Structure formats: structure tokens, C-alpha cells
Amino acid sequence: MLSRWAASGIDTTPFHAGVENAKRRYAGYGLVKMLPLDRVLVGCESSRVGAFGGFHHPDQGYRHLQMMAIITMYGPMGRRNPERPALALLDLLRAYAHDCLHYGSRRRYVEVAGVPVRTQYGINYRRASGQSYSAADQRGSNHTRNLGIVMEGACDKEARSITRQTAERFGVTEPSDVLGALAFRDMTGTLTEEDTRRAAGVLGSEEQTRYTAALSGYEKGVNRRYAHFLEEFAPGEESECHRRLLAAIISGEVTALGTWLDERHGPGTFTGLFRTPGYFAPGLTA
């Protein structure tokens, strides 16, 4: 697809440069292999009238069992090439950089009745019975005590940072229209709280309205909660905590992160923050 875009006159250099930047940064966290591009499928056409693609398209994301990323081209999907090439390349970079971290996260599986069951993903755990290590956050909460949200937020913060650096390097500027501006800020991690409220009122097609609603929901439910988590437990050291979290997610080893948190908040901080009381409840062995 990238070759086809290039053959159509679209400069794909920003994407490739962003990937090289991601490789260097991720190596510092312990990730030695990026998600192979032949494990990335990008949908750029749809038979659905008015289809609108991008990071927040329904069902887009990384499939851990297949070790494959499913991504859609940002913008209208009734055409083979993107309507806005610069935004589409940034969105593709954000999605790929994000899914590389999912691909590189430590995973462990056990067999239960002939079916593979994932019991570890990064620093998140699940018993073979299905009991999760941490509970879901309450609806509408602006903070998190859920490891799934923390890990998702860490991956996206890093991916958006890489995308923002790429936009700055290649002079990609914010579009003047509301939808384009919101998408650009979302890709580069520069959304404001006012933006998330504004997203709910964007006028457009039904698909565009659904897309901006998903954008707003993800920002509030994942990225804002992760930002609040860093502010709560690493005030003044947010970047260092984020770095340590990513290293732990990739290695699957929480000891160093736990020690770092304990030094600031007392013994047992990681367990106290995240482990649900029912995790070791009797009768849950598989």
C-alpha cells in the first residue's frame, strides 16, 4: 500500500522516518524487534457507503493470538488513496508504533481444555480461570487503577510522541477544519479537554460523527486516565515513570518498577494499587 501511495506521488518518507525513530526509542526500552510490516494489514477501501477509517475505526487494533495488526486508512474509504495524505501517514505511523508495543509486550499462555489462554500480557495478569488481576474502572472515572488502561495509555502516549516529533520534523501542520484539527491533535497527543467536549458536537456524516465520538471516548477513557495516573504517583517524574512502565511492559518483569514505586509511596504499592481482592479467591483454579 505504501508503494502504491508513493507511485501516486505521495511522499511516504515521514512514515519511514518515524518508524526509524520508533526503533531507536523502543530499543532503549528493551524491544529488539518491531512488528514486521508483513504482519500489518491496512484496509483502504470499503464497500460500505460513507465508510471513514483511522485509528478509532471499529475493531481496528492488534490481534495477539494471530500476532497481526489490523489498521484502516484515515479518512474516507471509498477511494484507494487517502484524501489527506499527510494526515493518513501520521495516523498510520501512530497506529503502527502503538501496535509495535503490543507486539513486543511480554506474553505468557497456558493450555486450558485444549485452548490457549493468555495469563500474562506485559505487567497485567489473568488466572487461567479468567479472573483479572485488576478490576475495571468505574464508569466516568477520570483516574485509573486498571492495568489494562495503564498499559494501553503507556503505549499510546509513546506512539503519539513519535508521531508528534515526525509532524514537527516534516512540517506537517494542523488543518483549519474542525475534524481535521481534532484528528491531528489526537494523532500527536495535543488534545485539550475542550477538544474532547467539542468532538461530540462535530457535524458530518454518520460515520464521521461515530469516529469523533470514539476519539473523544478513547481520550477520556484511556489517555486522560493514564496522564492522571502519572500525575498521582510520579509528580515531577512523569517521564521517568512512563519510561519504567514501558520497560516493564516489554520485559514482563515488574520488580524494578515496584521498587521504584515503593521508594516513593511505601511497601507493596504496585499490589496495593492494582490487585483486586478477589484475584486469589478460593474455587477459581482452572
Side-chain angles (χ1 to χ4, degrees):
M1 188 202 69
L2 285 166
S3 297
R4 190 176 71 205
W5 287 3
S8 300
I10 297 172
D11 183 7
T12 60
T13 303
F15 174 81
H16 295 293
V19 170
E20 289 303 313
N21 183 26
K23 285 181 181 178
R24 291 189 294 270
R25 288 178 60 142
Y26 292 1
Y29 303 131
L31 182 63
V32 296
K33 183 180 179 182
M34 299 284 277
L35 172 63
L37 288 177
D38 61 5
R39 305 298 298 174
V40 181
L41 301 181
V42 182
C44 54
E45 295 180 79
S46 176
S47 60
R48 197 173 67 253
V49 177
F52 193 90
F55 186 82
H56 300 287
H57 186 275
D59 298 323
Q60 174 165 319
Y62 183 73
R63 271 62 172 170
H64 69 94
L65 275 178
Q66 295 86 354
M67 298 178 71
M68 180 173 287
I70 308 297
I71 297 173
T72 54
M73 176 183 76
Y74 173 77
M77 296 178 65
R79 49 195 295 159
R80 291 172 64 83
N81 290 333
E83 182 178 73
R84 293 182 163 184
L87 284 184
L89 284 166
L90 289 181
D91 186 78
L92 180 61
L93 174 61
R94 184 259 193 100
Y96 176 69
H98 182 113
D99 286 346
C100 278
L101 291 170
H102 286 320
Y103 168 77
S105 299
R106 176 80 164 110
R107 292 185 297 276
R108 183 175 300 171
Y109 297 84
V110 297
E111 182 181 329
V112 179
V115 177
V117 175
R118 189 176 68 186
T119 57
Q120 179 180 2
Y121 168 48
I123 56 174
N124 200 4
Y125 311 95
R126 178 178 291 132
R127 297 185 66 186
S129 61
Q131 173 66 51
S132 295
Y133 189 84
S134 55
D137 295 324
Q138 291 185 353
R139 184 179 180 86
S141 172
N142 66 354
H143 66 271
T144 186
R145 296 295 183 268
N146 181 270
L147 279 169
I149 296 296
V150 168
M151 289 176 51
E152 180 72 6
C155 291
D156 203 45
K157 177 179 174 65
E158 190 67 13
R160 298 204 297 181
S161 176
I162 289 164
T163 307
R164 182 169 61 255
Q165 291 178 6
T166 303
E168 292 170 353
R169 175 180 173 184
F170 289 91
V172 182
T173 57
E174 181 180 303
S176 58
D177 65 292
V178 175
L179 176 56
L182 286 172
F184 178 85
R185 293 179 186 181
D186 176 52
M187 297 168 195
T188 56
T190 54
L191 283 169
T192 65
E193 290 194 21
E194 176 58 31
D195 287 332
T196 58
R197 290 189 290 269
R198 187 168 56 141
V202 170
L203 298 177
S205 68
E206 181 181 346
E207 290 249 352
Q208 290 172 333
T209 300
R210 187 183 304 127
Y211 187 87
T212 54
L215 181 157
S216 176
Y218 186 85
E219 177 68 10
K220 289 185 289 187
V222 175
N223 286 309
R224 292 289 176 196
R225 289 182 186 180
Y226 179 61
H228 289 156
F229 172 80
L230 293 178
E231 291 165 1
E232 276 187 286
F233 293 97
E237 297 180 285
E238 291 91 343
S239 294
E240 178 64 15
C241 185
H242 170 70
R243 185 189 69 77
R244 288 176 177 271
L245 273 164
L246 282 175
I249 288 167
I250 291 167
S251 69
E253 176 54 61
V254 77
T255 302
L257 173 64
T259 299
W260 191 84
L261 289 170
D262 287 353
E263 289 172 352
R264 286 149 180 80
H265 304 287
T269 300
F270 183 89
T271 301
L273 276 172
F274 296 115
R275 194 172 76 193
T276 180
Y279 188 64
F280 287 121
L284 289 176
T285 54

